């Protein structure tokens, strides 16, 4: 099941410890996700799917590297959302942070996420 309303590019705002973290998320018709958040140095790649008439979830992974370009871990981000209109959705998200060997270091969930779709600037 897929919802064509999600396909396209969205501005996102994540509430993180009382601070707004802005980002961009792009969803493809075949279930792909590309995300960027201003608090991350790299893009995230992942997948999405519909979970109901007006709901969906997605996840993406962000690789972390040190200044020398060495892999130092990963963030696995997960979000559930629900449409409030054709160009706006709200939801909750979280992330788990892993060492390069795959050990869970820490995680959090329940952060509020809002998004607004944008089209071609005219």
């Amino acid at each position: 099941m897929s919802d064509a309303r999600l396909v396209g590019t969205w501005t996102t705002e994540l509430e993180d410890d009382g601070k707004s973290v802005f980002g961009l998320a792009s969803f493809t018709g075949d279930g792909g996700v590309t995300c960027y958040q201003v608090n991350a140095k790299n893009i995230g790649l992942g997948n999405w799917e519909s979970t109901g008439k007006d709901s969906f979830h997605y996840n993406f992974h962000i690789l972390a590297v040190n200044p020398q370009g060495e892999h130092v871990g990963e963030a696995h981000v997960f979000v559930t959302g629900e449409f409030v209109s054709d160009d706006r959705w709200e939801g909750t998200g979280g992330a788990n942070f892993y060492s390069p060997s795959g050990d869970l270091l820490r995680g959090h969930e329940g952060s509020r996420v809002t998004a607004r779709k944008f089209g071609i600037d005219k």
Side-chain angles (χ1 to χ4, degrees):
M1 179 187 336
S2 68
D3 192 325
R5 292 179 291 177
L6 193 58
V7 174
T9 304
W10 300 74
T11 57
T12 60
E13 183 177 351
L14 167 71
E15 203 173 278
D16 186 24
D17 289 330
K19 297 178 187 172
S20 291
V21 177
F22 296 95
L24 297 171
S26 184
F27 300 87
T28 65
D30 63 352
V33 178
T34 303
C35 292
Y36 173 74
Q37 291 179 233
V38 296
N39 63 343
K41 294 183 177 158
N42 295 312
I43 64 166
L45 299 173
N47 302 286
W48 74 272
E49 65 183 5
S50 293
T51 56
K53 180 179 177 279
D54 291 316
S55 60
F56 57 89
H57 63 197
Y58 66 95
N59 69 301
F60 59 92
H61 295 186
I62 300 171
L63 297 177
V65 297
N66 65 18
Q68 293 74 37
E70 299 166 329
H71 179 236
V72 295
E74 295 183 20
H76 295 188
V77 179
F78 47 91
V79 177
T80 61
E82 187 170 321
F83 287 102
V84 294
S85 70
D86 286 345
D87 66 350
R88 191 165 183 275
W89 59 263
E90 297 177 353
T92 58
N96 290 319
F97 301 92
Y98 296 90
S99 71
S101 62
D103 296 321
L104 178 64
L105 302 173
R106 68 185 187 286
H108 67 87
E109 58 185 84
S111 298
R112 185 170 189 261
V113 182
T114 59
R116 186 166 300 277
K117 194 172 194 176
F118 69 88
I120 298 172
D121 291 337
K122 299 186 184 203

